[in-house]
Amino acid sequence: MELSPIAKERLNKIGKLTDEEKRKLKDDESLKLMLSKYFKNELSADALWEELKKHKAAGRAYLLNATQLKLLETVNMSSTDIDYKKINRGLLAIESLKDNGDCSTLEQGLESINNLRRRYNEEKDKAFEEIKTAVEREVSMAMQQLAGQAAAQGAMVDVQGSVEASARSSPEWKRFVTQHNATYNRQFKDQLQKIRQILKV
């Protein structure tokens, strides 16, 4: 099969890589594999620390920052508590390997992000419950009429499921989610930038 011009150009560039560039590409692949194992629970935070300690001893301390940056890129407002704790443990473990690491300040910064995530989810849940309550009576009345007709035909109607669906498709909920995400995404980006400054990445 004939290679495209873009593929040929990439192959040519790979052939022209310096030994240093080739080594960094290999290190990057090693890093991706390490983090993949870490997130699949095939590698603990302690084991990740040990692996990176070896890299540091071999003169590849730059991988400490590179790993932290990749971990930080996985954080978002929808991260589960389990994922967030895993990311935290990894970031702090790596920070302890740095000659100029500041685990205390990093821990405070990560706690600020966690508090932001908590407020984001609490406000979102509260708003949804309020909107759901507001539409529940109207939907219930309509569904009771349908339920009467369905019962006559021997069918069942899921009133609660209809309330959930109506609340989630309501203009009020969609408007809230848009505004809520915009507000918290700005704060989240600010917090991440502060963490990057602590990590110096």
Side-chain angles (χ1 to χ4, degrees), residues 48-63:
L48 180 68
W49 184 89
E50 289 289 350
E51 288 293 320
L52 287 165
K53 185 181 179 184
K54 291 175 193 172
H55 282 292
K56 182 184 176 184
R60 296 189 290 274
Y62 71 89
L63 279 177

Side-chain angles (χ1 to χ4, degrees), residues 41-82:
N41 294 318
E42 295 171 8
L43 201 66
S44 67
D46 289 341
L48 180 68
W49 184 89
E50 289 289 350
E51 288 293 320
L52 287 165
K53 185 181 179 184
K54 291 175 193 172
H55 282 292
K56 182 184 176 184
R60 296 189 290 274
Y62 71 89
L63 279 177
L64 302 181
N65 278 352
T67 307
Q68 284 184 314
L69 186 57
K70 285 194 180 297
L71 278 172
L72 199 60
E73 286 171 353
T74 65
V75 181
N76 58 59
M77 296 302 287
S78 302
S79 297
T80 66
D81 287 343
I82 292 172

Side-chain angles (χ1 to χ4, degrees), residues 114-129:
N114 197 34
N115 289 335
L116 189 68
R117 286 175 57 252
R118 194 176 295 119
R119 286 199 310 273
Y120 168 84
N121 287 313
E122 285 172 358
E123 288 179 19
K124 192 174 180 181
D125 291 344
K126 183 182 176 185
F128 181 71
E129 286 305 314

Side-chain angles (χ1 to χ4, degrees), residues 9 21 51 65 72 75 104 115-116 122 134 142 148-149 153 158 163-164 169 201:
E9 186 180 343
E21 288 169 331
E51 288 293 320
N65 278 352
L72 199 60
V75 181
S104 177
N115 289 335
L116 189 68
E122 285 172 358
Q149 295 169 6
Q153 297 171 3
D158 179 10
V163 170
E164 292 267 344
S169 63
V201 294

Side-chain angles (χ1 to χ4, degrees), residues 83-140:
D83 285 342
Y84 190 71
K85 284 176 185 173
K86 180 175 275 293
I87 293 163
N88 276 15
R89 281 196 301 270
L91 287 168
L92 288 165
I94 297 164
E95 190 70 8
S96 72
L97 278 171
K98 293 181 177 179
D99 296 332
N100 61 345
D102 187 351
C103 289
S104 177
T105 306
L106 175 57
E107 201 162 8
Q108 290 171 11
L110 292 170
E111 186 56 29
S112 294
I113 288 183
N114 197 34
N115 289 335
L116 189 68
R117 286 175 57 252
R118 194 176 295 119
R119 286 199 310 273
Y120 168 84
N121 287 313
E122 285 172 358
E123 288 179 19
K124 192 174 180 181
D125 291 344
K126 183 182 176 185
F128 181 71
E129 286 305 314
E130 288 174 356
I131 290 170
K132 191 169 81 167
T133 299
V135 299
E136 191 163 18
R137 181 174 296 168
E138 182 181 334
V139 171
S140 292

Side-chain angles (χ1 to χ4, degrees), residues 14-30:
I14 289 172
K16 294 173 185 175
L17 291 177
T18 65
D19 288 343
E20 176 72 9
E21 288 169 331
K22 287 176 184 175
R23 185 173 65 78
K24 285 196 173 183
L25 274 176
K26 187 177 178 183
D27 287 343
D28 191 52
E29 286 305 310
S30 171

